[in-house]
Amino acid sequence: MVIPAHPLALTARRTLDERRQRALSRYYIAAGAGGLAVGVHTTQFAIRGAGLLEPVLALAADVASTAHRRPILVAGVCGRTPQALREARLAADLGYDTALVSLAALPRATNAALLEHVAAIGEVMPVFGFYLQPAVGGRPLDYAFWRRMVEMDSVVAIKVAPFNRYETLEVMRAVQDAGAGDRVALYTGNDDHIVHDLLMSYTAARRRSVHMAGGLLGHWAFWTRNAVGLLDECRALIQRGGAVPRALLERAEQITAANGVVFDAGNHFRGCIPGIHHVLRRQGLLAGDWCLDPAERLSPGQAAAIDRVCRTWPHLTDDDFVRRHLDAWLR
């Protein structure tokens, strides 16, 4: 399924804009997303210090509860074990289905300590593993870690987002070697490699191949209607077999190029979250590009570059879909 990494809607005073926060959730559900990931990097980890974790989680859960088809709810869980357990219990109480576990707060922990941390959270709710890229706070996680982790019954999925092909393949190898491909769903988080990840499979030693079931992506926090169509297209192609159409490969590179601008890859992702906000502001879903940290803003020239890719590849956007339904989502 498509799982957008849910952004944070703020007013010009950098307070929670509940109306637009709800509108974003309604947009994702209407676009056909199968899940919502809330309290994750795109929601801004700083919501915890700002006292916004519970209200933001609660708003998404409330919107989801009224949906004709309820989405899977994924809660970002951060910090060392005591904090992570508090956040997992909060999410479980609010009706969330699984915890996306960030290990960024344990940069020097051994594999054994990391696995103990994950196991503790797994006693509270099912675990969605998370390989976060180092550029935004992640840490290296080796094959031995993933091989042990996927043996845990509480682990139901992994977001593979190291932005590194070697490390992505190591996670897939661990899942295959453990024979866990039917139990642990792999989700791409590699926003720079979306289409290729959705089309690829990992096969070795005559074992059953493993593949990405979908994506949990910041890039799918905008243009979500088209993301749903893209995943459907990739899945149909896999089931049908045969060659990948050249047009799809060309679109894959267009998506990556657009992502590089929105995520501000050329500036070490400093404008990543404001870039996502800028796209949503252009569509009317957000009122501005504001982040909780006033210093977190678009890089020089980034807004113009985003406008350029929207003009260059309008078929990547879902502007018409948003335009038709925006008033209803903002009610």
Side-chain angles (χ1 to χ4, degrees):
M1 62 181 67
V2 166
I3 306 179
H6 205 307
L8 178 68
L10 295 175
T11 68
R13 294 186 176 184
R14 293 184 167 81
T15 59
L16 178 61
D17 188 335
E18 292 192 11
R19 174 169 166 258
R20 291 186 182 273
Q21 191 72 15
R22 289 180 180 274
L24 283 175
S25 297
R26 291 177 181 134
Y27 159 53
Y28 299 135
I29 294 169
L36 300 176
V38 190
V40 296
H41 172 251
T42 307
T43 324
Q44 301 176 50
F45 291 139
I47 60 173
R48 290 155 175 85
L52 293 177
L53 179 63
E54 182 170 358
V56 168
L57 290 176
L59 282 172
D62 183 57
V63 173
S65 70
T66 64
H68 175 69
R69 192 170 186 177
R70 180 190 176 277
I72 296 294
L73 292 174
V74 182
V77 168
C78 300
R80 294 182 175 275
T81 305
Q83 175 186 336
L85 288 174
R86 288 194 300 271
E87 293 187 5
R89 292 183 187 114
L90 169 64
D93 289 345
L94 291 171
Y96 278 71
D97 300 290
T98 180
L100 183 72
V101 179
S102 170
L103 300 174
L106 303 163
R108 290 176 292 278
T110 63
N111 281 357
L114 293 175
L115 292 164
E116 187 175 317
H117 176 81
V118 172
I121 297 167
E123 293 180 5
V124 178
M125 65 191 308
V127 168
F128 207 123
F130 187 12
Y131 202 161
L132 177 65
Q133 65 151 319
V136 291
R139 55 159 289 169
L141 297 164
D142 61 18
Y143 167 85
F145 168 77
W146 294 112
R147 182 66 174 77
R148 291 278 307 282
M149 179 173 163
V150 297
E151 293 174 348
M152 296 182 184
D153 290 339
S154 60
V155 175
V156 296
I158 301 171
K159 171 176 173 169
V160 188
F163 280 43
N164 180 299
R165 302 318 302 158
Y166 303 112
E167 293 169 355
T168 295
L169 292 173
E170 285 289 84
V171 179
M172 300 185 82
R173 181 167 73 94
V175 171
Q176 187 185 62
D177 288 352
D182 291 335
R183 180 175 56 80
V184 178
L186 291 174
Y187 274 74
T188 179
N190 291 317
D191 304 77
D192 64 340
H193 210 263
I194 295 170
V195 176
H196 298 82
D197 271 2
L198 295 177
L199 292 173
M200 72 178 288
S201 61
Y202 182 91
T203 308
R206 298 184 180 179
R207 296 190 178 105
R208 185 171 179 176
S209 63
V210 295
H211 63 276
M212 298 290 182
L216 196 167
L217 296 158
H219 189 84
W220 283 357
F222 55 93
W223 306 339
T224 310
R225 181 69 169 180
N226 285 16
V228 172
L230 175 67
L231 178 58
D232 288 345
E233 185 178 351
C234 291
R235 288 173 61 86
L237 179 59
I238 291 169
Q239 291 170 4
R240 184 173 68 247
V244 178
R246 182 179 179 85
L248 181 56
L249 293 175
E250 290 175 350
R251 195 171 358 131
E253 299 310 315
Q254 294 167 1
I255 291 169
T256 297
N259 175 264
V261 169
V262 176
F263 274 35
D264 200 27
N267 291 298
H268 305 287
F269 302 95
R270 282 192 287 268
C272 172
I273 294 175
I276 294 171
H277 289 185
H278 183 75
V279 176
L280 296 170
R281 185 196 63 75
R282 291 177 87 259
Q283 295 182 308
L285 283 157
L286 292 183
D289 302 338
W290 310 296
C291 294
L292 287 169
D293 181 356
E296 195 167 359
R297 59 186 67 168
L298 293 168
S299 293
Q302 188 181 359
I306 292 172
D307 295 342
R308 172 181 57 78
V309 299
C310 291
R311 290 193 306 270
T312 304
W313 300 307
H315 56 280
L316 300 182
T317 78
D318 62 358
D319 291 355
D320 290 342
F321 172 71
V322 174
R323 192 177 300 113
R324 290 196 304 272
H325 301 284
L326 182 60
D327 288 344
W329 299 332
L330 287 169
R331 68 183 185 276

